[in-house]
Amino acid sequence: MDKIRIDNLVFSGKHGAYKKERNVEQEFEVYVEISFDATLSARTDKLEDTVDYSGMKNSVREIIEGSSCYLIEKLASNIADKILLDKRIAGVSVMVKKTSVWDNGAPSVTVNKSRR
């Protein structure tokens, strides 16, 4: 399978296990890697024959800026599910990092999903 990666997407949202985290926007960094067959797009060199990177970015933004989740596992899973709506995508890996929750370090979760 071929891969597309989108790194360092940064959006703000209100997610976390504690009430104070869901009341104040905080920064989330997202990395997405998809598996798909690029044979057609590589041959035709046409945008309509590949996966829409902008659409993936917009999906990430909608979910991060949308309804609050308690866990970043849920955020990553929601992003992966939305991306897999594109039938050309065979699998997706989504990493969500909470960049501002600690003074030292940043927790993250990676969710991997594939079309069954």
Side-chain angles (χ1 to χ4, degrees), residues 19 28 56 75 88 101:
K19 187 176 181 179
F28 295 86
M56 283 191 289
L75 277 176
R88 296 172 292 189
V101 69

Side-chain angles (χ1 to χ4, degrees), residues 15-32:
H15 309 282
Y18 304 104
K19 187 176 181 179
K20 66 180 181 178
E21 293 177 295
R22 291 186 307 281
N23 288 331
V24 176
E25 284 199 349
Q26 48 189 313
E27 188 175 274
F28 295 86
E29 191 172 318
V30 180
Y31 296 77
V32 177

Side-chain angles (χ1 to χ4, degrees), residues 46-81:
K46 292 183 179 179
L47 187 58
E48 62 266 15
D49 293 332
T50 194
V51 176
D52 178 8
Y53 314 160
S54 294
M56 283 191 289
K57 179 181 178 182
N58 291 336
S59 293
V60 171
R61 175 186 289 122
E62 288 171 8
I63 291 168
I64 297 294
E65 294 178 351
S67 299
S68 292
C69 296
Y70 288 98
L71 303 176
I72 56 176
E73 291 89 330
K74 179 68 172 173
L75 277 176
S77 181
N78 288 350
I79 293 167
D81 289 342

Side-chain angles (χ1 to χ4, degrees), residues 82-99:
K82 180 110 183 205
I83 289 171
L84 281 174
L85 291 176
D86 186 327
K87 302 295 184 206
R88 296 172 292 189
I89 298 172
V92 61
S93 178
V94 176
M95 193 263 288
V96 175
K97 182 187 297 186
K98 287 183 89 167
T99 59

